[in-house]
PDB file of all heavy atoms in Angstrom:
ATOM      1  N   ALA J   1      89.386 110.418 100.928  1.00 46.00           N
ATOM      2  CA  ALA J   1      90.145 111.539 100.216  1.00 46.00           C
ATOM      3  C   ALA J   1      89.408 112.759 100.323  1.00 46.00           C
ATOM      4  O   ALA J   1      88.131 112.816 100.234  1.00 46.00           O
ATOM      5  CB  ALA J   1      90.443 111.086  98.769  1.00 46.00           C
ATOM      6  N   ARG J   2      90.076 113.876 100.538  1.00 46.00           N
ATOM      7  CA  ARG J   2      89.450 115.173 100.651  1.00 46.00           C
ATOM      8  C   ARG J   2      89.154 115.644  99.256  1.00 46.00           C
ATOM      9  O   ARG J   2      89.859 115.562  98.287  1.00 46.00           O
ATOM     10  CB  ARG J   2      90.505 116.149 101.279  1.00 46.00           C
ATOM     11  CG  ARG J   2      89.949 117.631 101.265  1.00 46.00           C
ATOM     12  CD  ARG J   2      90.994 118.499 101.955  1.00 46.00           C
ATOM     13  NE  ARG J   2      90.916 118.189 103.337  1.00 46.00           N
ATOM     14  CZ  ARG J   2      91.423 118.866 104.325  1.00 46.00           C
ATOM     15  NH1 ARG J   2      92.002 120.006 104.040  1.00 46.00           N
ATOM     16  NH2 ARG J   2      91.351 118.544 105.520  1.00 46.00           N
ATOM     17  N   THR J   3      87.983 116.170  99.073  1.00 48.00           N
ATOM     18  CA  THR J   3      87.620 116.786  97.796  1.00 48.00           C
ATOM     19  C   THR J   3      87.303 118.301  98.035  1.00 48.00           C
ATOM     20  O   THR J   3      86.475 118.584  98.894  1.00 48.00           O
ATOM     21  CB  THR J   3      86.340 116.109  97.155  1.00 48.00           C
ATOM     22  OG1 THR J   3      85.276 116.100  98.119  1.00 48.00           O
ATOM     23  CG2 THR J   3      86.763 114.677  96.768  1.00 48.00           C
ATOM     24  N   SER J   4      87.878 119.123  97.260  1.00 48.00           N
ATOM     25  CA  SER J   4      87.679 120.566  97.475  1.00 48.00           C
ATOM     26  C   SER J   4      88.085 121.293  96.160  1.00 48.00           C
ATOM     27  O   SER J   4      88.915 120.823  95.439  1.00 48.00           O
ATOM     28  CB  SER J   4      88.556 121.067  98.628  1.00 48.00           C
ATOM     29  OG  SER J   4      88.565 122.420  98.687  1.00 48.00           O
ATOM     30  N   SER J   5      87.425 122.345  95.835  1.00 51.00           N
ATOM     31  CA  SER J   5      87.787 123.097  94.686  1.00 51.00           C
ATOM     32  C   SER J   5      89.158 123.795  94.896  1.00 51.00           C
ATOM     33  O   SER J   5      89.860 123.981  93.907  1.00 51.00           O
ATOM     34  CB  SER J   5      86.704 124.092  94.348  1.00 51.00           C
ATOM     35  OG  SER J   5      86.577 125.002  95.405  1.00 51.00           O
ATOM     36  N   THR J   6      89.511 124.170  96.065  1.00 64.00           N
ATOM     37  CA  THR J   6      90.822 124.722  96.401  1.00 64.00           C
ATOM     38  C   THR J   6      91.359 123.823  97.452  1.00 64.00           C
ATOM     39  O   THR J   6      91.085 124.017  98.629  1.00 64.00           O
ATOM     40  CB  THR J   6      90.742 126.155  96.846  1.00 64.00           C
ATOM     41  OG1 THR J   6      90.015 127.015  95.836  1.00 64.00           O
ATOM     42  CG2 THR J   6      92.026 126.796  97.088  1.00 64.00           C
ATOM     43  N   ALA J   7      92.334 123.048  97.078  1.00 66.00           N
ATOM     44  CA  ALA J   7      92.993 122.160  98.072  1.00 66.00           C
ATOM     45  C   ALA J   7      93.940 122.906  98.973  1.00 66.00           C
ATOM     46  O   ALA J   7      94.655 123.792  98.434  1.00 66.00           O
ATOM     47  CB  ALA J   7      93.737 121.019  97.340  1.00 66.00           C
ATOM     48  N   PRO J   8      93.990 122.643 100.255  1.00 80.00           N
ATOM     49  CA  PRO J   8      94.932 123.328 101.123  1.00 80.00           C
ATOM     50  C   PRO J   8      96.342 122.822 100.873  1.00 80.00           C
ATOM     51  O   PRO J   8      96.557 121.727 100.416  1.00 80.00           O
ATOM     52  CB  PRO J   8      94.423 122.989 102.577  1.00 80.00           C
ATOM     53  CG  PRO J   8      93.752 121.641 102.285  1.00 80.00           C
ATOM     54  CD  PRO J   8      93.171 121.639 100.969  1.00 80.00           C
ATOM     55  N   SER J   9      97.264 123.585 101.326  1.00 91.00           N
ATOM     56  CA  SER J   9      98.668 123.232 101.272  1.00 91.00           C
ATOM     57  C   SER J   9      99.037 122.522 102.634  1.00 91.00           C
ATOM     58  O   SER J   9      98.458 122.856 103.705  1.00 91.00           O
ATOM     59  CB  SER J   9      99.609 124.463 101.149  1.00 91.00           C
ATOM     60  OG  SER J   9      99.379 125.017  99.925  1.00 91.00           O
ATOM     61  N   PRO J  10     100.015 121.654 102.480  1.00 95.00           N
ATOM     62  CA  PRO J  10     100.411 121.013 103.850  1.00 95.00           C
ATOM     63  C   PRO J  10     101.000 122.047 104.784  1.00 95.00           C
ATOM     64  O   PRO J  10     101.654 123.058 104.372  1.00 95.00           O
ATOM     65  CB  PRO J  10     101.563 120.083 103.366  1.00 95.00           C
ATOM     66  CG  PRO J  10     101.423 119.841 101.854  1.00 95.00           C
ATOM     67  CD  PRO J  10     100.720 121.074 101.429  1.00 95.00           C
ATOM     68  N   THR J  11     100.818 121.830 106.080  1.00 95.00           N
ATOM     69  CA  THR J  11     101.339 122.718 107.023  1.00 95.00           C
ATOM     70  C   THR J  11     102.820 122.245 107.535  1.00 95.00           C
ATOM     71  O   THR J  11     103.522 123.082 108.000  1.00 95.00           O
ATOM     72  CB  THR J  11     100.413 122.779 108.274  1.00 95.00           C
ATOM     73  OG1 THR J  11     100.208 121.494 108.850  1.00 95.00           O
ATOM     74  CG2 THR J  11      99.126 123.496 107.927  1.00 95.00           C
ATOM     75  N   SER J  12     103.044 120.981 107.358  1.00 96.00           N
ATOM     76  CA  SER J  12     104.338 120.448 107.686  1.00 96.00           C
ATOM     77  C   SER J  12     104.565 119.113 107.087  1.00 96.00           C
ATOM     78  O   SER J  12     103.620 118.509 106.547  1.00 96.00           O
ATOM     79  CB  SER J  12     104.579 120.415 109.190  1.00 96.00           C
ATOM     80  OG  SER J  12     103.617 119.529 109.801  1.00 96.00           O
ATOM     81  N   PHE J  13     105.779 118.537 107.177  1.00 97.00           N
ATOM     82  CA  PHE J  13     106.093 117.192 106.686  1.00 97.00           C
ATOM     83  C   PHE J  13     106.838 116.428 107.738  1.00 97.00           C
ATOM     84  O   PHE J  13     107.589 117.037 108.523  1.00 97.00           O
ATOM     85  CB  PHE J  13     106.996 117.375 105.441  1.00 97.00           C
ATOM     86  CG  PHE J  13     106.361 117.899 104.237  1.00 97.00           C
ATOM     87  CD1 PHE J  13     106.406 119.302 103.951  1.00 97.00           C
ATOM     88  CD2 PHE J  13     105.708 117.087 103.362  1.00 97.00           C
ATOM     89  CE1 PHE J  13     105.732 119.783 102.873  1.00 97.00           C
ATOM     90  CE2 PHE J  13     105.110 117.586 102.202  1.00 97.00           C
ATOM     91  CZ  PHE J  13     105.078 118.972 101.959  1.00 97.00           C
ATOM     92  N   VAL J  14     106.566 115.159 107.788  1.00 97.00           N
ATOM     93  CA  VAL J  14     107.330 114.225 108.666  1.00 97.00           C
ATOM     94  C   VAL J  14     108.206 113.426 107.811  1.00 97.00           C
ATOM     95  O   VAL J  14     107.755 112.649 107.044  1.00 97.00           O
ATOM     96  CB  VAL J  14     106.353 113.328 109.455  1.00 97.00           C
ATOM     97  CG1 VAL J  14     107.160 112.337 110.337  1.00 97.00           C
ATOM     98  CG2 VAL J  14     105.457 114.135 110.333  1.00 97.00           C
ATOM     99  N   ASP J  15     109.518 113.728 107.800  1.00 97.00           N
ATOM    100  CA  ASP J  15     110.481 113.006 107.043  1.00 97.00           C
ATOM    101  C   ASP J  15     110.815 111.650 107.582  1.00 97.00           C
ATOM    102  O   ASP J  15     111.013 111.524 108.724  1.00 97.00           O
ATOM    103  CB  ASP J  15     111.812 113.847 106.884  1.00 97.00           C
ATOM    104  CG  ASP J  15     111.557 115.097 106.121  1.00 97.00           C
ATOM    105  OD1 ASP J  15     110.831 115.124 105.138  1.00 97.00           O
ATOM    106  OD2 ASP J  15     112.211 116.099 106.449  1.00 97.00           O
ATOM    107  N   LEU J  16     110.827 110.656 106.709  1.00 97.00           N
ATOM    108  CA  LEU J  16     111.212 109.335 107.104  1.00 97.00           C
ATOM    109  C   LEU J  16     112.682 109.117 106.710  1.00 97.00           C
ATOM    110  O   LEU J  16     113.247 109.873 105.883  1.00 97.00           O
ATOM    111  CB  LEU J  16     110.265 108.270 106.507  1.00 97.00           C
ATOM    112  CG  LEU J  16     108.760 108.513 106.870  1.00 97.00           C
ATOM    113  CD1 LEU J  16     107.874 107.668 106.039  1.00 97.00           C
ATOM    114  CD2 LEU J  16     108.623 108.180 108.371  1.00 97.00           C
ATOM    115  N   PRO J  17     113.312 108.020 107.185  1.00 97.00           N
ATOM    116  CA  PRO J  17     114.735 107.811 106.737  1.00 97.00           C
ATOM    117  C   PRO J  17     114.940 107.717 105.271  1.00 97.00           C
ATOM    118  O   PRO J  17     114.208 107.091 104.476  1.00 97.00           O
ATOM    119  CB  PRO J  17     115.139 106.515 107.442  1.00 97.00           C
ATOM    120  CG  PRO J  17     114.088 106.431 108.624  1.00 97.00           C
ATOM    121  CD  PRO J  17     112.905 107.044 108.097  1.00 97.00           C
ATOM    122  N   THR J  18     116.013 108.344 104.776  1.00 97.00           N
ATOM    123  CA  THR J  18     116.361 108.335 103.393  1.00 97.00           C
ATOM    124  C   THR J  18     117.241 107.081 103.155  1.00 97.00           C
ATOM    125  O   THR J  18     117.815 106.461 104.073  1.00 97.00           O
ATOM    126  CB  THR J  18     117.138 109.619 102.914  1.00 97.00           C
ATOM    127  OG1 THR J  18     118.318 109.628 103.710  1.00 97.00           O
ATOM    128  CG2 THR J  18     116.278 110.844 103.187  1.00 97.00           C
ATOM    129  N   GLN J  19     117.269 106.654 101.903  1.00 97.00           N
ATOM    130  CA  GLN J  19     118.134 105.608 101.423  1.00 97.00           C
ATOM    131  C   GLN J  19     118.481 105.787  99.934  1.00 97.00           C
ATOM    132  O   GLN J  19     117.798 106.406  99.241  1.00 97.00           O
ATOM    133  CB  GLN J  19     117.432 104.249 101.721  1.00 97.00           C
ATOM    134  CG  GLN J  19     116.033 104.185 101.123  1.00 97.00           C
ATOM    135  CD  GLN J  19     115.264 103.028 101.661  1.00 97.00           C
ATOM    136  OE1 GLN J  19     115.731 101.883 101.609  1.00 97.00           O
ATOM    137  NE2 GLN J  19     114.111 103.260 102.123  1.00 97.00           N
ATOM    138  N   PRO J  20     119.623 105.214  99.518  1.00 96.00           N
ATOM    139  CA  PRO J  20     120.045 105.318  98.143  1.00 96.00           C
ATOM    140  C   PRO J  20     119.087 104.552  97.250  1.00 96.00           C
ATOM    141  O   PRO J  20     118.471 103.609  97.675  1.00 96.00           O
ATOM    142  CB  PRO J  20     121.394 104.783  98.114  1.00 96.00           C
ATOM    143  CG  PRO J  20     121.575 103.972  99.334  1.00 96.00           C
ATOM    144  CD  PRO J  20     120.601 104.464 100.319  1.00 96.00           C
ATOM    145  N   LEU J  21     118.945 105.009  95.977  1.00 96.00           N
ATOM    146  CA  LEU J  21     118.188 104.303  94.993  1.00 96.00           C
ATOM    147  C   LEU J  21     118.888 102.966  94.846  1.00 96.00           C
ATOM    148  O   LEU J  21     120.036 102.813  94.923  1.00 96.00           O
ATOM    149  CB  LEU J  21     118.260 104.987  93.614  1.00 96.00           C
ATOM    150  CG  LEU J  21     117.268 106.148  93.425  1.00 96.00           C
ATOM    151  CD1 LEU J  21     117.488 106.667  91.995  1.00 96.00           C
ATOM    152  CD2 LEU J  21     115.848 105.630  93.551  1.00 96.00           C
ATOM    153  N   PRO J  22     118.108 101.866  94.531  1.00 96.00           N
ATOM    154  CA  PRO J  22     118.718 100.547  94.255  1.00 96.00           C
ATOM    155  C   PRO J  22     119.472 100.649  92.931  1.00 96.00           C
ATOM    156  O   PRO J  22     119.213 101.494  92.093  1.00 96.00           O
ATOM    157  CB  PRO J  22     117.498  99.608  94.163  1.00 96.00           C
ATOM    158  CG  PRO J  22     116.362 100.472  93.834  1.00 96.00           C
ATOM    159  CD  PRO J  22     116.604 101.885  94.470  1.00 96.00           C
ATOM    160  N   ALA J  23     120.363  99.685  92.792  1.00 95.00           N
ATOM    161  CA  ALA J  23     121.138  99.575  91.556  1.00 95.00           C
ATOM    162  C   ALA J  23     120.216  99.367  90.399  1.00 95.00           C
ATOM    163  O   ALA J  23     119.113  98.827  90.561  1.00 95.00           O
ATOM    164  CB  ALA J  23     122.162  98.417  91.672  1.00 95.00           C
ATOM    165  N   ALA J  24     120.615  99.654  89.183  1.00 94.00           N
ATOM    166  CA  ALA J  24     119.850  99.508  87.986  1.00 94.00           C
ATOM    167  C   ALA J  24     119.354  98.139  87.803  1.00 94.00           C
ATOM    168  O   ALA J  24     120.039  97.121  88.047  1.00 94.00           O
ATOM    169  CB  ALA J  24     120.603  99.835  86.713  1.00 94.00           C
ATOM    170  N   GLY J  25     118.012  97.972  87.565  1.00 94.00           N
ATOM    171  CA  GLY J  25     117.353  96.678  87.399  1.00 94.00           C
ATOM    172  C   GLY J  25     116.970  96.017  88.706  1.00 94.00           C
ATOM    173  O   GLY J  25     116.293  95.025  88.695  1.00 94.00           O
ATOM    174  N   ARG J  26     117.315  96.667  89.809  1.00 96.00           N
ATOM    175  CA  ARG J  26     116.922  96.084  91.085  1.00 96.00           C
ATOM    176  C   ARG J  26     115.749  96.902  91.713  1.00 96.00           C
ATOM    177  O   ARG J  26     115.498  98.005  91.406  1.00 96.00           O
ATOM    178  CB  ARG J  26     118.158  96.232  92.123  1.00 96.00           C
ATOM    179  CG  ARG J  26     119.470  95.704  91.577  1.00 96.00           C
ATOM    180  CD  ARG J  26     119.783  94.323  91.850  1.00 96.00           C
ATOM    181  NE  ARG J  26     119.295  93.742  93.124  1.00 96.00           N
ATOM    182  CZ  ARG J  26     120.003  93.086  93.964  1.00 96.00           C
ATOM    183  NH1 ARG J  26     121.331  93.006  93.803  1.00 96.00           N
ATOM    184  NH2 ARG J  26     119.455  92.503  94.961  1.00 96.00           N
ATOM    185  N   SER J  27     115.005  96.220  92.580  1.00 97.00           N
ATOM    186  CA  SER J  27     113.862  96.786  93.180  1.00 97.00           C
ATOM    187  C   SER J  27     114.065  96.841  94.688  1.00 97.00           C
ATOM    188  O   SER J  27     114.827  96.060  95.272  1.00 97.00           O
ATOM    189  CB  SER J  27     112.632  95.959  92.911  1.00 97.00           C
ATOM    190  OG  SER J  27     112.276  95.960  91.513  1.00 97.00           O
ATOM    191  N   GLN J  28     113.387  97.767  95.305  1.00 96.00           N
ATOM    192  CA  GLN J  28     113.432  97.958  96.779  1.00 96.00           C
ATOM    193  C   GLN J  28     112.013  98.290  97.258  1.00 96.00           C
ATOM    194  O   GLN J  28     111.312  99.092  96.633  1.00 96.00           O
ATOM    195  CB  GLN J  28     114.384  99.135  97.017  1.00 96.00           C
ATOM    196  CG  GLN J  28     114.628  99.472  98.463  1.00 96.00           C
ATOM    197  CD  GLN J  28     115.695 100.545  98.493  1.00 96.00           C
ATOM    198  OE1 GLN J  28     116.838 100.430  97.783  1.00 96.00           O
ATOM    199  NE2 GLN J  28     115.533 101.553  99.180  1.00 96.00           N
ATOM    200  N   THR J  29     111.641  97.598  98.329  1.00 97.00           N
ATOM    201  CA  THR J  29     110.248  97.833  98.936  1.00 97.00           C
ATOM    202  C   THR J  29     110.479  98.742 100.151  1.00 97.00           C
ATOM    203  O   THR J  29     111.474  98.530 100.877  1.00 97.00           O
ATOM    204  CB  THR J  29     109.606  96.514  99.272  1.00 97.00           C
ATOM    205  OG1 THR J  29     109.554  95.751  98.088  1.00 97.00           O
ATOM    206  CG2 THR J  29     108.243  96.770  99.841  1.00 97.00           C
ATOM    207  N   PHE J  30     109.575  99.721 100.382  1.00 97.00           N
ATOM    208  CA  PHE J  30     109.690 100.522 101.518  1.00 97.00           C
ATOM    209  C   PHE J  30     108.246 100.957 101.944  1.00 97.00           C
ATOM    210  O   PHE J  30     107.318 100.828 101.104  1.00 97.00           O
ATOM    211  CB  PHE J  30     110.552 101.798 101.342  1.00 97.00           C
ATOM    212  CG  PHE J  30     110.095 102.715 100.227  1.00 97.00           C
ATOM    213  CD1 PHE J  30     109.331 103.789 100.511  1.00 97.00           C
ATOM    214  CD2 PHE J  30     110.336 102.346  98.884  1.00 97.00           C
ATOM    215  CE1 PHE J  30     108.877 104.662  99.512  1.00 97.00           C
ATOM    216  CE2 PHE J  30     109.895 103.282  97.862  1.00 97.00           C
ATOM    217  CZ  PHE J  30     109.219 104.431  98.199  1.00 97.00           C
ATOM    218  N   THR J  31     108.082 101.440 103.150  1.00 96.00           N
ATOM    219  CA  THR J  31     106.747 101.818 103.709  1.00 96.00           C
ATOM    220  C   THR J  31     106.790 103.219 104.171  1.00 96.00           C
ATOM    221  O   THR J  31     107.745 103.611 104.897  1.00 96.00           O
ATOM    222  CB  THR J  31     106.377 100.868 104.839  1.00 96.00           C
ATOM    223  OG1 THR J  31     106.344  99.524 104.305  1.00 96.00           O
ATOM    224  CG2 THR J  31     105.005 101.173 105.397  1.00 96.00           C
ATOM    225  N   VAL J  32     105.758 103.987 103.837  1.00 97.00           N
ATOM    226  CA  VAL J  32     105.538 105.330 104.418  1.00 97.00           C
ATOM    227  C   VAL J  32     104.520 105.102 105.534  1.00 97.00           C
ATOM    228  O   VAL J  32     103.352 104.633 105.187  1.00 97.00           O
ATOM    229  CB  VAL J  32     105.040 106.318 103.335  1.00 97.00           C
ATOM    230  CG1 VAL J  32     104.731 107.685 103.968  1.00 97.00           C
ATOM    231  CG2 VAL J  32     106.126 106.511 102.225  1.00 97.00           C
ATOM    232  N   SER J  33     104.828 105.460 106.716  1.00 96.00           N
ATOM    233  CA  SER J  33     103.980 105.233 107.814  1.00 96.00           C
ATOM    234  C   SER J  33     103.858 106.487 108.720  1.00 96.00           C
ATOM    235  O   SER J  33     104.828 107.171 108.955  1.00 96.00           O
ATOM    236  CB  SER J  33     104.436 104.050 108.658  1.00 96.00           C
ATOM    237  OG  SER J  33     103.572 103.712 109.702  1.00 96.00           O
ATOM    238  N   TYR J  34     102.622 106.714 109.321  1.00 97.00           N
ATOM    239  CA  TYR J  34     102.391 107.842 110.150  1.00 97.00           C
ATOM    240  C   TYR J  34     101.169 107.503 111.047  1.00 97.00           C
ATOM    241  O   TYR J  34     100.190 107.025 110.556  1.00 97.00           O
ATOM    242  CB  TYR J  34     102.148 109.158 109.444  1.00 97.00           C
ATOM    243  CG  TYR J  34     101.874 110.343 110.356  1.00 97.00           C
ATOM    244  CD1 TYR J  34     102.896 110.925 110.966  1.00 97.00           C
ATOM    245  CD2 TYR J  34     100.579 110.706 110.630  1.00 97.00           C
ATOM    246  CE1 TYR J  34     102.619 112.004 111.856  1.00 97.00           C
ATOM    247  CE2 TYR J  34     100.322 111.742 111.512  1.00 97.00           C
ATOM    248  CZ  TYR J  34     101.309 112.392 112.076  1.00 97.00           C
ATOM    249  OH  TYR J  34     101.108 113.424 112.962  1.00 97.00           O
ATOM    250  N   ARG J  35     101.343 107.662 112.356  1.00 97.00           N
ATOM    251  CA  ARG J  35     100.269 107.419 113.291  1.00 97.00           C
ATOM    252  C   ARG J  35      99.728 108.760 113.861  1.00 97.00           C
ATOM    253  O   ARG J  35     100.454 109.617 114.247  1.00 97.00           O
ATOM    254  CB  ARG J  35     100.748 106.574 114.433  1.00 97.00           C
ATOM    255  CG  ARG J  35      99.651 106.317 115.494  1.00 97.00           C
ATOM    256  CD  ARG J  35     100.164 105.267 116.593  1.00 97.00           C
ATOM    257  NE  ARG J  35      99.180 105.041 117.536  1.00 97.00           N
ATOM    258  CZ  ARG J  35      98.092 104.367 117.525  1.00 97.00           C
ATOM    259  NH1 ARG J  35      97.836 103.685 116.418  1.00 97.00           N
ATOM    260  NH2 ARG J  35      97.280 104.248 118.529  1.00 97.00           N
ATOM    261  N   ASN J  36      98.302 108.872 113.786  1.00 97.00           N
ATOM    262  CA  ASN J  36      97.764 110.080 114.427  1.00 97.00           C
ATOM    263  C   ASN J  36      97.641 109.839 115.873  1.00 97.00           C
ATOM    264  O   ASN J  36      96.709 109.157 116.378  1.00 97.00           O
ATOM    265  CB  ASN J  36      96.320 110.238 113.792  1.00 97.00           C
ATOM    266  CG  ASN J  36      95.633 111.475 114.339  1.00 97.00           C
ATOM    267  OD1 ASN J  36      96.264 112.213 115.167  1.00 97.00           O
ATOM    268  ND2 ASN J  36      94.397 111.636 113.926  1.00 97.00           N
ATOM    269  N   ASP J  37      98.546 110.491 116.641  1.00 96.00           N
ATOM    270  CA  ASP J  37      98.518 110.378 118.112  1.00 96.00           C
ATOM    271  C   ASP J  37      97.701 111.577 118.742  1.00 96.00           C
ATOM    272  O   ASP J  37      97.842 111.747 119.959  1.00 96.00           O
ATOM    273  CB  ASP J  37      99.933 110.341 118.591  1.00 96.00           C
ATOM    274  CG  ASP J  37     100.630 109.023 118.367  1.00 96.00           C
ATOM    275  OD1 ASP J  37      99.964 107.990 118.306  1.00 96.00           O
ATOM    276  OD2 ASP J  37     101.913 109.022 118.176  1.00 96.00           O
ATOM    277  N   THR J  38      97.010 112.306 117.942  1.00 95.00           N
ATOM    278  CA  THR J  38      96.301 113.444 118.464  1.00 95.00           C
ATOM    279  C   THR J  38      94.855 112.981 118.859  1.00 95.00           C
ATOM    280  O   THR J  38      94.397 111.858 118.548  1.00 95.00           O
ATOM    281  CB  THR J  38      96.171 114.639 117.456  1.00 95.00           C
ATOM    282  OG1 THR J  38      95.370 114.253 116.438  1.00 95.00           O
ATOM    283  CG2 THR J  38      97.602 114.969 116.996  1.00 95.00           C
ATOM    284  N   ALA J  39      94.168 113.927 119.535  1.00 97.00           N
ATOM    285  CA  ALA J  39      92.771 113.583 119.898  1.00 97.00           C
ATOM    286  C   ALA J  39      91.737 114.022 118.759  1.00 97.00           C
ATOM    287  O   ALA J  39      90.558 113.912 118.965  1.00 97.00           O
ATOM    288  CB  ALA J  39      92.420 114.262 121.163  1.00 97.00           C
ATOM    289  N   ALA J  40      92.222 114.508 117.655  1.00 96.00           N
ATOM    290  CA  ALA J  40      91.302 115.032 116.597  1.00 96.00           C
ATOM    291  C   ALA J  40      91.716 114.306 115.273  1.00 96.00           C
ATOM    292  O   ALA J  40      92.800 113.751 115.100  1.00 96.00           O
ATOM    293  CB  ALA J  40      91.539 116.530 116.481  1.00 96.00           C
ATOM    294  N   ASP J  41      90.778 114.419 114.279  1.00 96.00           N
ATOM    295  CA  ASP J  41      91.067 113.882 113.075  1.00 96.00           C
ATOM    296  C   ASP J  41      92.256 114.710 112.388  1.00 96.00           C
ATOM    297  O   ASP J  41      92.383 115.850 112.685  1.00 96.00           O
ATOM    298  CB  ASP J  41      89.840 114.048 112.090  1.00 96.00           C
ATOM    299  CG  ASP J  41      88.729 113.025 112.387  1.00 96.00           C
ATOM    300  OD1 ASP J  41      88.913 112.093 113.171  1.00 96.00           O
ATOM    301  OD2 ASP J  41      87.657 113.218 111.827  1.00 96.00           O
ATOM    302  N   GLN J  42      93.071 113.943 111.566  1.00 96.00           N
ATOM    303  CA  GLN J  42      94.207 114.613 110.988  1.00 96.00           C
ATOM    304  C   GLN J  42      94.256 114.271 109.465  1.00 96.00           C
ATOM    305  O   GLN J  42      94.167 113.045 109.187  1.00 96.00           O
ATOM    306  CB  GLN J  42      95.418 114.260 111.676  1.00 96.00           C
ATOM    307  CG  GLN J  42      96.651 115.046 111.262  1.00 96.00           C
ATOM    308  CD  GLN J  42      97.817 114.697 112.250  1.00 96.00           C
ATOM    309  OE1 GLN J  42      97.894 113.593 112.738  1.00 96.00           O
ATOM    310  NE2 GLN J  42      98.614 115.750 112.449  1.00 96.00           N
ATOM    311  N   THR J  43      94.329 115.275 108.618  1.00 96.00           N
ATOM    312  CA  THR J  43      94.523 115.021 107.230  1.00 96.00           C
ATOM    313  C   THR J  43      95.917 114.818 106.824  1.00 96.00           C
ATOM    314  O   THR J  43      96.838 115.674 107.200  1.00 96.00           O
ATOM    315  CB  THR J  43      93.871 116.122 106.344  1.00 96.00           C
ATOM    316  OG1 THR J  43      92.509 116.298 106.722  1.00 96.00           O
ATOM    317  CG2 THR J  43      94.015 115.801 104.871  1.00 96.00           C
ATOM    318  N   VAL J  44      96.339 113.773 106.198  1.00 97.00           N
ATOM    319  CA  VAL J  44      97.677 113.403 105.818  1.00 97.00           C
ATOM    320  C   VAL J  44      97.770 112.925 104.385  1.00 97.00           C
ATOM    321  O   VAL J  44      96.761 112.610 103.796  1.00 97.00           O
ATOM    322  CB  VAL J  44      98.256 112.342 106.754  1.00 97.00           C
ATOM    323  CG1 VAL J  44      98.217 112.809 108.296  1.00 97.00           C
ATOM    324  CG2 VAL J  44      97.561 110.977 106.593  1.00 97.00           C
ATOM    325  N   ALA J  45      98.991 112.853 103.913  1.00 97.00           N
ATOM    326  CA  ALA J  45      99.215 112.272 102.527  1.00 97.00           C
ATOM    327  C   ALA J  45     100.600 111.726 102.509  1.00 97.00           C
ATOM    328  O   ALA J  45     101.580 112.361 102.863  1.00 97.00           O
ATOM    329  CB  ALA J  45      99.037 113.336 101.471  1.00 97.00           C
ATOM    330  N   PRO J  46     100.729 110.451 102.044  1.00 97.00           N
ATOM    331  CA  PRO J  46     102.129 109.952 101.877  1.00 97.00           C
ATOM    332  C   PRO J  46     102.749 110.538 100.674  1.00 97.00           C
ATOM    333  O   PRO J  46     102.012 110.892  99.678  1.00 97.00           O
ATOM    334  CB  PRO J  46     101.877 108.443 101.694  1.00 97.00           C
ATOM    335  CG  PRO J  46     100.485 108.368 101.096  1.00 97.00           C
ATOM    336  CD  PRO J  46      99.736 109.474 101.702  1.00 97.00           C
ATOM    337  N   GLN J  47     104.016 110.725 100.654  1.00 97.00           N
ATOM    338  CA  GLN J  47     104.725 111.280  99.453  1.00 97.00           C
ATOM    339  C   GLN J  47     106.043 110.651  99.343  1.00 97.00           C
ATOM    340  O   GLN J  47     106.738 110.402 100.330  1.00 97.00           O
ATOM    341  CB  GLN J  47     104.840 112.830  99.529  1.00 97.00           C
ATOM    342  CG  GLN J  47     105.414 113.439  98.248  1.00 97.00           C
ATOM    343  CD  GLN J  47     105.529 114.865  98.264  1.00 97.00           C
ATOM    344  OE1 GLN J  47     106.020 115.506  99.208  1.00 97.00           O
ATOM    345  NE2 GLN J  47     105.160 115.510  97.141  1.00 97.00           N
TER     346      GLN J  47
END
């Protein structure tokens, strides 16, 4: 995790497919996934 007194803002977002909330009392599992296909380190955060 990055530690800094002034955290940088994201430069962009990669949106994943949306879906409706499950019905009341029901649960839904999902995954936030992203692959660094660049040649350099990349700072990311799931949201």
Side-chain angles (χ1 to χ4, degrees):
R2 174 178 290 198
T3 56
S4 172
S5 59
T6 304
S9 296
T11 56
S12 63
F13 292 90
V14 177
D15 292 323
L16 300 169
T18 62
Q19 50 194 309
L21 277 179
R26 309 270 328 233
S27 295
Q28 182 174 312
T29 303
F30 62 98
T31 303
V32 176
S33 183
Y34 177 80
R35 180 173 173 79
N36 180 5
D37 287 329
T38 70
D41 285 352
Q42 190 169 34
T43 302
V44 301
Q47 186 177 44

